[in-house]
Amino acid sequence: MADRVLVSGGSGYIAGFLIRQLVAEGWVVHATVRSLAREEAVRRVLAVDNSRLRFFAADLNADAGWAEAMAGCSHVAHVASPLPSGVPKNADELIVPARDGALRALRAARAAGVRRFVMTSSVAAISYGRGRGVHHFTEADWTPLNQPGLSPYIQSKTIAERAARDWVAKEGGGIEFCTINPSVVLGPVWSADYSASVVLVKKLLDGSLRGCPDFGFGVVDVRDVADLHLRALKAPGMAGERFIASGRFMKLREVADVLRAALGAQADKVTTRDLPDWLVRVAALVNPVARSVVRELGSVRNQDASHAKAVLGWATRPVEQSIVDTARCLIDLGLVRP
């Protein structure tokens, strides 16, 4: 009998690639979506063996549907978590569903007798809040929540992962729990319903980002992130594990340079301008997006993914390929007009 796995947030960016890989390997997948009205559209995009894919309505903010979705599953990939394209006025708009949704899924998993629970966290829970300078991070590190100026997203990912780990330690029973902590996830997109992480490439291509602040991030391909989830679902001895999923750190200026070098005339709108720190700080007085990055100006966050490579045999494709594949999909789908 095939293993049965629940993938939460089944219409999401990472989840879509993971579901494709799971079905291709013979798993039966239960996927949650907030509304079953989305089922037909998601099935059409995924284009997998429909006999191996079932959809269930379940929301991070409510108990309804989780028990039904979890029934019969031996494994869980909890990918669902709020990732907005903007910055909410109240941090609880992200913190509450991220934290409570993870605990809701864990409680349902324990009740269903799930053996393995893989949660998608983020390097946001590891490597932020240190300020200017060159920093090196491993899975042993945590973002300090007592630092001022952390964005609601960073807070939500840190709080949700800590809450999940605390719950498993106290009440998890026999559940093997581990987390995948990706950096900025790029790669192919299938439709206009793409991750907020892809918006950055879109804004560079369409010229709406008119300058590059001294800000950067690790880049990782969505296909590689899905592969790491699959490896963590299958490998023995995952209890308590934590895996950084990241390629090399890149400043925004480097991302812009990759686009211009690879796309030629299609990248004519990509900015060549650098924004001085003082201008970003002025913008932060009125712009919540600028405010969310101002404390990371001049920070280089090298996130070491060697643990995932050593323990799970994980490998990543070049970050340049991920950036260019993102851009070409956005152009081919007509989502950007270069």
Side-chain angles (χ1 to χ4, degrees):
M1 180 177 176
D3 282 321
R4 192 174 295 262
V5 56
L6 180 139
V7 178
S8 66
S11 62
Y13 188 39
I14 296 171
F17 282 89
L18 176 57
I19 290 169
R20 277 186 166 182
Q21 291 187 21
L22 286 162
V23 172
E25 288 208 359
W27 295 65
V28 174
V29 178
H30 290 193
T32 68
V33 288
R34 286 194 296 270
S35 169
L36 289 178
R38 300 206 61 192
E39 177 178 350
E40 183 180 348
V42 176
R43 284 189 185 276
R44 189 165 55 247
V45 168
L46 291 176
V48 297
D49 179 354
N50 281 327
S51 69
R52 292 188 171 275
L53 177 60
R54 294 185 61 193
F55 283 88
F56 297 81
D59 190 282
L60 294 173
N61 292 307
D63 290 335
W66 285 100
E68 293 81 2
M70 205 74 68
C73 291
S74 56
H75 295 66
V76 171
H78 181 57
V79 187
S81 188
L83 177 57
S85 56
V87 179
K89 293 181 179 179
N90 187 334
D92 280 345
E93 292 178 34
L94 293 184
I95 293 170
V96 172
R99 179 195 61 212
D100 293 2
L103 296 177
R104 188 165 277 118
L106 279 165
R107 287 192 293 267
R110 182 185 61 186
V114 164
R115 301 194 305 270
R116 173 73 54 81
F117 192 108
V118 178
M119 175 176 166
T120 311
S121 183
S122 170
V123 294
I126 291 175
S127 58
Y128 283 75
R130 271 60 169 207
R132 187 176 295 275
V134 178
H135 309 283
H136 298 270
F137 298 97
T138 70
E139 287 85 356
D141 294 302
W142 284 89
T143 292
L145 286 168
N146 60 354
Q147 292 298 308
L150 293 177
S151 73
Y153 175 72
I154 292 170
Q155 294 178 58
S156 74
K157 299 305 287 189
T158 308
I159 289 169
E161 186 183 344
R162 282 198 176 277
R165 289 185 176 275
D166 288 346
W167 184 92
V168 170
K170 295 174 183 175
E171 305 182 47
I175 293 177
E176 279 191 288
F177 174 89
C178 68
T179 60
I180 308 296
N181 295 67
S183 54
V184 168
V185 181
L186 299 177
V189 298
W190 298 333
S191 70
D193 186 16
Y194 49 77
S195 168
S197 60
V198 172
V199 171
L200 192 61
V201 175
K202 181 178 183 296
K203 286 182 176 293
L204 282 168
L205 286 173
D206 66 19
S208 59
L209 190 61
R210 304 201 173 185
C212 295
D214 186 15
F215 175 77
F217 37 79
V219 173
V220 66
D221 196 283
V222 64
R223 294 162 289 192
D224 298 331
V225 175
D227 175 64
L228 185 54
H229 280 75
L230 182 57
R231 290 169 184 266
L233 285 166
K234 297 192 301 181
M238 289 291 99
E241 280 283 13
R242 196 183 197 205
F243 297 103
I244 288 174
S246 182
R248 69 180 178 87
F249 184 88
M250 302 182 74
K251 289 293 180 78
L252 191 56
R253 155 61 56 207
E254 293 179 81
V255 177
D257 290 344
V258 168
L259 291 171
R260 294 181 67 86
L263 299 178
Q266 291 183 312
D268 280 350
K269 294 180 183 176
V270 175
T271 184
T272 58
R273 180 187 178 200
D274 291 320
L275 295 181
D277 289 356
W278 69 264
L279 186 58
V280 180
R281 292 191 179 99
V282 170
L285 297 175
V286 295
N287 186 311
V289 175
R291 194 177 307 130
S292 70
V293 304
V294 71
R295 289 187 179 272
E296 298 298 327
L297 292 172
S299 179
V300 175
R301 297 178 304 281
N302 295 306
Q303 293 135 172
D304 184 0
S306 61
H307 184 57
K309 295 173 182 178
V311 173
L312 295 175
W314 186 57
T316 60
R317 64 203 73 205
V319 292
E320 293 83 2
Q321 179 185 343
S322 303
I323 293 165
V324 173
D325 285 354
T326 307
R328 287 191 169 132
C329 283
L330 290 172
I331 293 168
D332 291 346
L333 290 169
L335 301 174
V336 173
R337 298 187 182 280

